[in-house]
Amino acid sequence: QVQLVESGGGLVQAGGSLRLSCTASGRTFSRYAMGWFRQAPGKEREFVAAISASGGIEFYADSVKGRFTIFRDITKNTVYLQMSSLKAEDTAVYYCAVDQSPYPRSGPESYNYWGRGTQVTVSS
């Protein structure tokens, strides 16, 4: 059974940092891109960042570019999201997902495995 488990969320002050982790179990995802999405209350789920299967290509939403970094450890079947200079508008539930291709994409329809999410709350 495939399972993605996110961790690392919490409450942080504006300007602070958090590192999210997402570990996959049940199969190896080294051949597939992985991504992070988020959903704030009353809003649709939105793309945050994605990384290619090799880890050599990263792709970010404009709203987080320069503040967030995505990276992965294939040996641990884990993808990370390092978040810095956090803002109140970053408050959301963050989800990791596995793409159906090796190349990072922003559309949620491209992803076929999803975690249950971890809450990130940024206080202003």
Side-chain angles (χ1 to χ4, degrees):
Q1 180 180 357
V2 174
Q3 192 173 18
L4 300 177
V5 178
E6 302 96 337
S7 62
L11 175 63
V12 63
Q13 288 189 333
S17 299
L18 279 176
R19 178 180 290 186
L20 305 183
S21 301
C22 171
T23 299
S25 61
R27 62 175 290 186
T28 299
F29 292 107
S30 59
R31 295 183 177 184
Y32 302 98
M34 296 186 72
W36 286 94
F37 291 76
R38 66 187 182 187
Q39 187 166 18
K43 295 187 177 181
E44 293 189 354
R45 189 170 299 190
E46 66 172 0
F47 170 75
V48 175
I51 188 166
S52 63
S54 68
I57 302 172
E58 300 166 25
F59 182 30
Y60 297 94
D62 288 343
S63 59
V64 306
K65 201 173 295 182
R67 300 188 298 121
F68 291 10
T69 302
I70 186 171
F71 57 102
R72 66 190 297 172
D73 185 336
I74 293 174
T75 64
K76 296 182 179 179
N77 226 16
T78 298
V79 63
Y80 304 91
L81 185 69
Q82 178 67 47
M83 306 185 295
S84 302
S85 302
L86 283 162
K87 306 175 181 179
E89 50 263 44
D90 294 318
T91 295
V93 177
Y94 283 70
Y95 300 88
C96 72
V98 180
D99 199 331
Q100 301 177 65
S101 88
Y103 305 106
R105 296 179 288 183
S106 61
E109 67 280 357
S110 303
Y111 294 75
N112 56 349
Y113 293 107
W114 292 83
R116 292 190 174 186
T118 185
Q119 176 70 47
V120 171
T121 303
V122 183
S123 63
S124 56

